[in-house]
Structures are given as C-alpha cells and as structure tokens.
Amino acid sequence: MTATQDALDALNPAQRHAVTVRGGPLLILAGPGSGKTRVIAHRIAYLVRTLAVPPWRILAVTFTNKAAREMRERVERLLEEDARAITLGTFHGICARMLRRDGQQIGIPSGFVIYDRDDQLSLVRRIEKELHVDSKRFAPGAVLSAISAAKNHRLDAAGYAGAVGSYFEEVVARVFEQYDHALTESAAVDFDDLLGRTLELFQRAPAVCDRYAERYLHLLIDEFQDTNVVQYELARALTSKHGNITAVGDPDQSIYSWRAADVRNLAHFRSDFPGTEVVLLEQNYRSSARILRVADAVIRRAEGRPEKQLWTANADGERVVEHSARSGEEEAMYIASEVQRLTRGGRAPADCAVMYRTNAQSRALEEAFLYLGIPYRLVGGTRFYDRREVRDLLAYLRLVQNEMDSVAFQRIVNVPPRGIGDRTLEHVLAVAAETGLAPLAVAAKLARGDAALPALPALRADSRLALDGFVRLVDSLRERRERFSVADLLDEILRDVGYRQYLQDSDEAHATTRWENVEELLEVARQYQDLEGSRSLASFLEEVALVADVDDPAVATPNAVTLTTLHAAKGLEFPVVFMPGLEEGLLPHVRSLDDPQQLEEERRIAYVGMTRAKERLYLLHAGSRFYQGMQRRSIRSRFLRDVPSAELTASGTGAATAGAVPLSARERRAAIAGRQVRDVPSEPAFAAGERVEHAQFGRGVVVSCTLVPGDQQVTVAFEAAGVRKLLLSFAPLKAERRPEPTRAAVPDDHEPPEDEAGAG
C-alpha cells in the first residue's frame, strides 16, 4: 500500500471525497472542528502525488500568517521537499509579492512600503489638521474605516466623492483624496491597496493576469466565507484559464462583515463557477456531544443557511453550565473562582479561555484574575509590533529603505530628542506639501539654507543644525544598507542613535522591559541573515507589516488563561471556555437589534464561541452591568432562550466547593481601589532587597515598599518582566519560598508574615 493510500485511509469518507476530486470548482462546507486544514493539506498532496500536478503550479491562500504556517507544516510532512515549491500564504502577502514584481505597470514602485493601521491613523490625523477638520467631531478611526469600506467595494476617492450623501461623507471624501495622494507621495500602500491595486493590475494589464492564471493550475482558498468583493474577484481572475478552484468555508462562521467580508460569496460561487461539486464536512472532532447540541440549537435558527448537521462520535461529556450573576463584577469573580477551582483539580490555566463580545468586558475580568493571582494573557492588548520602542526602530528601518516615507520621518525625526521641535517639524511638512518633495529631502534643503524653497519664516540656526544631523544620520545608514543584513543594520541604528540610553532616560521604570522588546526584535531580524543587504531589509519589513494580531508571537504568557474577544477567538480551541455577557444588547449587540442581517451575524458569533470549547462550556449573564458609562439592567440573551433547558445545568456548587466564595461588588471594588477591607499594616510589608514572587510576573527583588493612603506601593525588579510598581491590595505578591534552614543556616527574621505578604 502506498503512502498516499495510507494517508487517504486515515480520512473519513467525506474528507476522502473532498481530497480526491480531480478538478473543476469544488466547494467544501466545513463545520467547526471538522478537519478542514487536514483536508486542504491532503488535497494538495493528492494533486501532487496522484495527479502529478507540479508543486509550483499550486496556489493556496489562507487569512492569517499563523494559518499559513500551520498549513505549510502539514503539507511538508506529506510532501517533504516538494512542498517548498508551492505558493502558500495570505491574500495580502501573495498580492504584495505580485505588486513587487509587476506593480510598476500601474505606477507602483517595487520598493513600496506598507502602512499598517497605526501609520494610516497618523496620516489621517495629519490630513485632518491640514484641512482644518475637527478630529473630535470626525474621529480619524471612523474616517479611516469609511475609506477602507470604500476601497473594499472598489471605490476610489473620485468615485466616493461622486456618491456622498451626508456631511460626514463629504469630509471623508476630502480626506480620502489627500490620503491617497499622500500614499503615492510616500511610495506607500495600505492593506486595502494590496488587494485593490492587484485587481487593478490584472484589469489594466491583462497579460500579467494571464501569466499568473496560466502558472497556477489549482487555487485553494481557506475560510472562503471571510472573502470580500475584491478577494472574490481576484479568485475569479486567477482561475479564468482553467476553473480549478477549491473553496473551503462555513457560512455559520461568517463573523467579519465589519471587515467587508461578504458571506454571499459562498452563494455566488455556485452560479459563477458552473458545475460546482459540493462536499459537506459534518463530523466534529473537537467538542463533546453536549456542547455541539447546545451550539446547534443556536445556529439552526439562522436564516437561509445550508442544510447541514454537525455531529460527533465523542462522548456526551460534562453538562454545559449556565450561570446567572447579579452584576458584571460578580460574573467576573465567578469565572476567576471557577478557574481557580479547576486548576486546583488538575487543569492548567492555559486550558481555559474567556471569550466576550466587547473589549470593555475585559476590565472586570482582569481585576478578578489579578485579585486571585491567576495568570492570564490578554489577546488584543498592546501587540509586540505596536509597542513604542518597536515602532520607533521599524520607522528608522523604513526610512532607510524608503526616503519618501513621510510617516516614518515624522515618528523618528526627534527620537531620541535632537532639538527638532514641533514648529520645525510643521515647517518641514508645510514645505513638503507645497513642493511635493519628501520630508527628508526638504529637511536636507532646509539644513543647507536652500534659497529655492518657498518663502516661509526662516529656521533658527540650531534647528537647521539639528535637521542636518538627522539627514546625515539617515544618509549614513542608507549607505550601509547594501552591505549589512537587517539585524546588523538594526545594531548600527541602536548604536548610532544611542537608543538604549534614550530608553533609560525617558522611561527608567520600564527601560528593562522595553530593551527586552528591542532584543526580541533583533532576534526576529536575525532570521533574515541569509539574505543580502537591501533584500534582507525589504523582506523583513514586508513580513512585519503583514503580521496580523493573532500572529503576534510576543503576547503569549506561558500557562495562562486566555482572555479574548469572540472575533479574535476564531480558529482557536480550548478544553474549557467561558462566555460571559450573554445578554440582550451585548450578545446580540445593541447595534444589531434593528438590523436582521447583523442580528444573524451575532447568532453566528455566539455559535463560533460555543464551538471553541472541547470539554467544558460555561454560558454566563448578569442581572446588571456597568456598560457605556452607566449601570444597566440586563435581559438574558435570546440565544440562551433558543437552547432547550434540558441541555443546560445551572451553576451552584463551583466556586463555593473550592472555598473561594466570590466577593461582593463592594468588597471587590474596595480591595482593588486600595481601601482594603481588612486593616492596613502600619509598617511596610517588604524591605528593599527582599526576593518576592508574583503569579503573573514571576520572581523579582523589591526595590522599595512605601505606605500610601489605604495601601502599600511596592516597586519590584522582576527577572522576566522588568521593573513594576504594584499596589499590594491589587497584586498577588508573596515572599519567595526558601528552603528549610539547615543547622548551619541562620533564619531570616525579616521575612514578612504570610497574611501581609499575600495581602492581595
């Protein structure tokens, strides 16, 4: 028996059918936990090994770099060396490579930079200031979202301006025009442009489109329900020569309409690709039977969904718990206490996840987890690549790569401080706007006192000298760009600008942690050592720009509970899942209540959350909740009312049996605010130099411990987390456990009593 046949025999009948379709349009409707990644990987292997399709003629598309890495690992296990020739990546990453190669045909330079959301927001803020737009009334984020939505519906600035119907849209149109102009002037594109400009390339240069369509004989797309209009048209263009497309998706998991994802693409697929073969993957390998029955009770009421029934051979397992709390704070304490009970019973914290509808819900959860000393990781907190020191250094690298990059220039022209103030920067930008020159070029001319520049108020001599120093620094780094790898170039930047000392001077309390982030960036950069000079830099910057939130490797905390929104939980799975806030106005969200389509998406969001659970599922709601600035009464979600009562069990023993009774809201707030319920000691609980332990930050040494009103503030230098200032009532801080003293040892009389060391 061949290895290929062995691999096929390991699949269930539906999976085997999906893998062995020989060609043409194939639509695989894959329920959660049904093994779709496995099916795609085996289908690629089948095309290569059985149908003799050359690996370089296969294009596989995923939606995150993380998913792409997992897919490539699976394919490599099946195809070994042949897997390297397959083109596999995200839509954005693949389009970026196409634009690097062929974008010049529509005016995009090969060295373009990619602006992420932070860069885009900086640019919109600058444009609003130039246009005298009130950024409080017209929030940059809202304006940017409108521009993004327009691009995803294939509207350019002129097309958008021709269809305005409100004053807000009129303001967006004015910003849109300047925004696109600024991108062009900076030789930059945003994420939407990576897709839209590639489609434009295919339409304006048919020969380029034909070349890619002829090269890739098979196109496979994962998470097809998350495609937008532009991605769908790209798929049609790439299969225009042969029609060999495999689309894998699940309409029940379409939850990204706010990102312009269009679930209707699954319905359009059958009509746009005649002769489509449809395969249903309905066997779930992830969840217990009880969890699936509860999730099915919610999703089966969705309008217009395909007829499919998720099932599992897994056992019934634990009952699904419904817990009703009096308040959002009490709900959070119940979750933390239940996690504590489960971990005492042998569960690891990393087995547990809390999934909520809005980011605001994390506040009470974080407080409860900190209070009980339970380690957690917050998905959606400050991402590694969004941290100040990381963005500073990336801006240096971007300006070295592309001297036209105005956003990078603005960020680092005075970082570290070199005497270039806001007025000087405004002067440079005003000249750049009037002349069409890049800010770096303007800075060079101003430093030389170029008489040909517009007649603006003259700069002071010290400002010209500071600009000259910055220009010389960038020019020197640009000269070294061809000779140095990106890691070596980063070392040069750190040395030339004295960045470590700058961190120490500007943020002494967090300098150690920030420098650790710099070292982590250097470690990432070293992965590009095998590329030469500018190729190393260009590849590094492109990969960093294309990293998504869920791909960020630096946010993880070992063995910690995951706190995440339901949207960010897509693609994840955990043995234990808590879903708080199952209330009308929260899940479903208040914005969806008057919109049937949005209400259906809220139903799918609930379904996605439920199907992340493998063994235990907790569905929670509160009688009242502090939300949008006030305490509000809550009503149990309609999605819970859809579940037969026989499938749910009310909680009542969890936290109590563990001896960890949830605090009342008053007690919790008092403790967290520092107004401790018990008496505060009159003497500091810790002395400088004392070794301590924290449940989340690990081991450290006390720098100082001072009494503050109603509390004690402890400054600790942690081995892994740097210097932190903690309130003792809020921090689970304890004296480090020492070995029992031997006869030769002298007991340490200074160690604080257990009740003081563990005051929070």
Side-chain angles (χ1 to χ4, degrees), residues 145-198:
S145 293
I147 293 172
S148 177
K151 289 188 175 187
N152 283 314
H153 287 90
R154 303 183 61 190
L155 278 176
D156 59 12
Y160 185 90
V164 296
S166 66
Y167 184 53
F168 173 77
E169 291 177 349
E170 182 184 327
V171 170
V172 171
R174 286 192 282 136
V175 175
F176 197 168
E177 181 182 10
Q178 294 301 313
Y179 174 83
D180 268 359
H181 178 71
L183 287 177
T184 301
E185 291 295 310
S186 297
V189 298
D190 61 23
F191 272 75
D192 299 316
D193 289 334
L194 289 173
L195 305 177
R197 299 303 299 273
T198 302

Side-chain angles (χ1 to χ4, degrees), residues 736-748:
E736 183 178 283
R737 294 184 180 276
R738 295 179 171 84
E740 290 295 325
T742 63
R743 291 184 180 180
V746 178
D748 184 356

Side-chain angles (χ1 to χ4, degrees), residues 601-654:
E601 181 156 322
E602 294 292 308
R603 183 178 295 279
R604 296 194 292 268
I605 291 170
Y607 175 74
V608 165
M610 293 172 181
T611 53
R612 300 309 94 195
K614 298 167 69 175
E615 299 169 22
R616 298 182 71 104
L617 175 62
Y618 293 77
L619 306 176
L620 305 102
H621 50 93
S624 69
R625 187 179 301 275
F626 189 81
Y627 184 56
Q628 295 182 339
M630 65 176 64
Q631 196 76 22
R632 302 169 183 264
R633 289 189 174 276
S634 303
I635 301 173
R636 185 171 178 256
S637 171
R638 69 190 67 193
F639 302 145
L640 276 176
R641 298 197 297 270
D642 290 339
V643 179
S645 58
E647 298 292 358
L648 301 172
T649 182
S651 66
T653 58

Side-chain angles (χ1 to χ4, degrees), residues 346-357:
R347 287 279 186 195
D351 288 344
C352 304
V354 188
M355 302 177 182
Y356 36 83
R357 178 62 180 83

Side-chain angles (χ1 to χ4, degrees), residues 637-680:
S637 171
R638 69 190 67 193
F639 302 145
L640 276 176
R641 298 197 297 270
D642 290 339
V643 179
S645 58
E647 298 292 358
L648 301 172
T649 182
S651 66
T653 58
T657 58
V661 180
L663 299 176
S664 70
R666 182 191 68 81
E667 291 171 324
R668 186 198 61 81
R669 285 195 296 269
I672 288 171
R675 301 185 298 275
Q676 297 202 67
V677 176
R678 53 178 169 265
D679 293 335
V680 178

Side-chain angles (χ1 to χ4, degrees), residues 369-390:
F369 277 74
L370 282 169
Y371 189 86
L372 293 184
I374 300 170
Y376 67 90
R377 68 178 282 249
L378 181 65
V379 176
T382 302
R383 298 172 54 231
F384 176 74
Y385 291 112
D386 286 340
R387 292 168 186 169
R388 188 191 78 193
E389 58 279 7
V390 174

Side-chain angles (χ1 to χ4, degrees), residues 11-162:
L11 304 175
N12 69 39
Q15 291 173 333
R16 195 177 308 120
H17 182 191
V19 165
T20 56
V21 172
R22 300 186 69 83
L26 171 63
L27 178 60
I28 302 173
L29 298 180
S34 61
K36 67 180 178 62
T37 305
R38 185 185 192 194
V39 166
I40 298 171
H42 278 75
R43 176 153 179 75
I44 292 172
Y46 180 81
L47 292 172
V48 174
R49 289 284 188 257
T50 302
L51 301 187
V53 177
W56 60 271
R57 301 198 70 184
I58 295 174
L59 171 60
V61 184
T62 66
F63 269 79
T64 67
N65 292 297
K66 178 183 176 183
R69 286 193 297 270
E70 181 183 349
M71 183 72 70
R72 184 166 292 282
E73 288 169 2
R74 287 177 180 250
V75 173
E76 285 176 349
R77 287 198 292 269
L78 294 168
L79 292 179
E80 299 176 337
E81 292 295 320
D82 283 341
R84 296 183 179 181
I86 295 166
T87 302
L88 199 162
T90 65
F91 263 112
H92 291 92
I94 290 166
C95 286
R97 292 196 287 275
M98 291 176 174
L99 288 177
R100 294 269 182 224
R101 176 175 177 176
D102 299 298
Q104 297 93 322
Q105 298 198 37
I106 56 171
I108 300 177
S110 60
F112 66 81
V113 294
I114 302 169
Y115 278 7
D116 64 16
R117 183 169 177 80
D118 189 76
D119 300 322
Q120 294 172 268
L121 286 170
S122 296
L123 184 55
V124 170
R125 290 189 192 100
R126 189 184 92 198
I127 292 169
E128 288 192 339
K129 187 174 182 180
E130 292 170 353
L131 296 177
H132 305 291
V133 171
D134 185 353
S135 60
K136 292 183 179 178
R137 185 178 176 190
F138 300 96
V143 172
L144 184 59
S145 293
I147 293 172
S148 177
K151 289 188 175 187
N152 283 314
H153 287 90
R154 303 183 61 190
L155 278 176
D156 59 12
Y160 185 90

